Amino acid sequence: MKKLYYSTFVQGLEKPIEAMLHKEGGVAVERIVSGAALYRSVKEPAFPFVHQTFSVLFQMKPVKDVNEAVRKLLATGTWLDRFPYEETEGKRFRIVTAMGDKLVAANMRYVDMLEKAIADNTGMRTYREKPDVELWVLCRPEAAYFLWRIGKHSNTRQEGQLRSDVCAVVSFLSRCGAKNATILGCTNSTLPYAMKAGGARTLTCVCPDRTSAKLIEGKMRGVRVCEGSSGYTDLADGSQDAVVLHLPVKAEKTPNLESDLRSALFEARRILNDDGKLIVIASLAHAESTLRKTQGVRMLGRYDLTLSGQKSAIWVMMPKNEENEESLMDQ
């Protein structure tokens, strides 16, 4: 039996996330909205390309605030039928209330009443500091939801490091499965992990400095690590099926930034084969102007998103040549 789930992801990645969900066996997508997906699955999902996942206990029509949502939950008890009672015994829980992607406070009198109803019917007990279970009352423009959070909170990521869910989407867009791939400007292990998980046959990480190279070498196996400029590699012409260029959004905008990016793009074009994919992840301030003027590549897609508080994008391109111009209409 397929259960209903709700997953969140970075806003702007709706199209690739929908495509990735459709490729998962036993999944039926019901709705894709800004930064979230509602779908049914035959098994509990653990997708690397989403941020948080919840089991849906109850759906309501849109409400004005979380207090109204809690009151509606108190007025009906049908959501109790969807509790995973086999997982509730001895568990501690807390209620989280949110409007969109922001946590908000609710009237504690209503929350206390909802907590008591849950405790009386499930045997769980309230513990707000370090609970075993989080139950979310989430209000969004399209609906309000009562959700059971699945999995643990992700570890705090390092400054400037791409989130693992974004990296999983980049790997998917690169179509690196059973192919040769290269990461230019590789400074951490998140992208290489995602590319290897995506099935890359060979993976070359070109690191800008010795510190980054040692980091990758210490964490990754089966990956070729090179130290040097992204504008010059020892890879053969046309030898790569996918090239990913990550320009950290917090990078200082120096006078050489644009010329370095142009050199990296030229090198990427050189080492890509005619059907290869070029992925660029960067802030608009750093890359938009340069990419607009880049020759020899054809734009397949662009996904605008916010990274580390900066307006950014993921650009998907491929070499421009006469043979692949017609096939691009099907991408």
Side-chain angles (χ1 to χ4, degrees), residues 17-320:
I17 292 292
E18 182 172 12
M20 295 172 84
L21 284 171
H22 280 302
K23 288 179 72 68
E24 293 288 337
V27 172
V29 178
E30 291 205 352
R31 177 189 287 179
I32 301 290
V33 295
S34 178
L38 191 67
Y39 56 95
R40 294 187 181 275
S41 176
V42 295
K43 61 182 179 180
E44 184 174 289
F47 302 135
F49 50 86
V50 299
H51 179 47
Q52 296 188 102
T53 293
F54 306 84
S55 174
V56 179
L57 301 174
F58 196 65
Q59 287 188 75
M60 297 169 274
K61 291 181 179 180
V63 295
K64 66 178 181 179
D65 57 30
V66 292
N67 290 328
E68 184 179 347
V70 174
R71 286 197 300 268
K72 285 195 172 185
L73 288 172
L74 289 168
T76 179
T78 56
W79 44 270
L80 284 166
D81 296 336
R82 297 189 179 91
F83 261 79
Y85 287 97
E86 68 279 4
E87 300 177 30
T88 62
E89 187 175 352
K91 292 289 181 68
R92 302 170 299 179
F93 77 97
R94 71 178 173 195
I95 292 173
V96 178
T97 49
M99 291 288 293
D101 58 357
K102 298 186 184 300
L103 300 181
V104 297
N107 185 310
M108 286 309 299
R109 184 166 67 88
Y110 297 144
V111 173
D112 288 342
M113 293 169 65
L114 183 58
E115 286 176 340
K116 186 176 186 305
I118 293 168
D120 289 346
N121 285 277
T122 67
M124 293 195 296
R125 55 192 175 92
T126 305
Y127 191 76
R128 293 171 184 158
E129 294 301 317
K130 293 182 179 179
D132 303 304
V133 175
E134 282 187 354
L135 300 173
W136 284 52
V137 180
L138 173 63
C139 301
R140 285 184 49 105
E142 77 279 358
Y145 305 93
F146 190 34
L147 308 168
W148 174 297
R149 191 180 188 279
I150 297 172
K152 298 179 180 179
H153 286 282
S154 58
N155 295 327
T156 303
R157 65 183 179 84
Q158 298 175 358
E159 182 65 25
Q161 183 169 317
L162 279 176
R163 281 171 38 166
S164 59
D165 52 337
V166 174
C167 291
V169 174
V170 170
S171 176
F172 172 78
L173 292 171
S174 74
R175 302 185 183 181
C176 64
K179 296 179 180 178
N180 301 325
T182 291
I183 301 173
L184 299 178
C186 186
T187 57
N188 58 72
S189 59
T190 316
L191 259 176
Y193 272 126
M195 300 291 282
K196 290 295 287 184
R201 179 173 60 228
T202 68
L203 180 62
T204 301
C205 298
V206 180
C207 304
D209 50 57
R210 186 58 192 155
T211 301
S212 300
K214 288 180 68 176
L215 173 68
I216 305 302
E217 288 173 338
K219 291 189 174 183
M220 301 292 299
R221 294 291 180 268
V223 171
R224 179 172 180 252
V225 180
C226 307
E227 179 187 349
S229 167
S230 295
Y232 177 79
T233 73
D234 61 357
L235 294 166
D237 292 0
S239 62
Q240 301 300 297
D241 301 282
V243 174
V244 176
L245 172 59
H246 174 217
L247 189 61
V249 298
K250 295 292 187 179
E252 184 180 353
K253 192 169 185 179
T254 64
N256 295 329
L257 183 66
E258 186 173 345
S259 61
D260 289 345
L261 178 56
R262 284 200 304 268
S263 297
L265 291 168
F266 183 85
E267 180 68 1
R269 176 64 184 87
R270 181 187 71 78
I271 63 178
L272 270 174
N273 63 40
D274 287 344
D275 296 319
K277 297 293 182 296
L278 169 60
I279 313 290
V280 177
I281 315 115
S283 73
L284 300 185
H286 288 159
E288 186 173 31
S289 176
T290 302
L291 288 173
R292 192 183 299 122
K293 295 179 287 188
T294 299
Q295 298 181 348
V297 294
R298 173 69 177 267
M299 191 69 66
L300 299 180
R302 166 177 161 168
Y303 305 96
D304 291 299
L305 67 166
T306 299
L307 297 173
S308 298
Q310 304 293 316
K311 291 183 178 179
S312 306
I314 298 172
W315 289 268
V316 183
M317 296 166 279
M318 71 181 299
K320 184 186 293 185

Side-chain angles (χ1 to χ4, degrees), residues 269 273-276 298 318-331:
R269 176 64 184 87
N273 63 40
D274 287 344
D275 296 319
R298 173 69 177 267
M318 71 181 299
K320 184 186 293 185
N321 60 62
E322 293 181 2
E323 291 183 3
N324 66 25
E325 282 297 301
E326 301 239 348
S327 65
L328 290 171
M329 300 299 294
D330 300 324
Q331 301 293 325

Side-chain angles (χ1 to χ4, degrees), residues 7-21:
S7 291
T8 64
F9 50 83
V10 175
Q11 291 184 15
L13 299 180
E14 287 76 17
K15 285 187 177 180
I17 292 292
E18 182 172 12
M20 295 172 84
L21 284 171

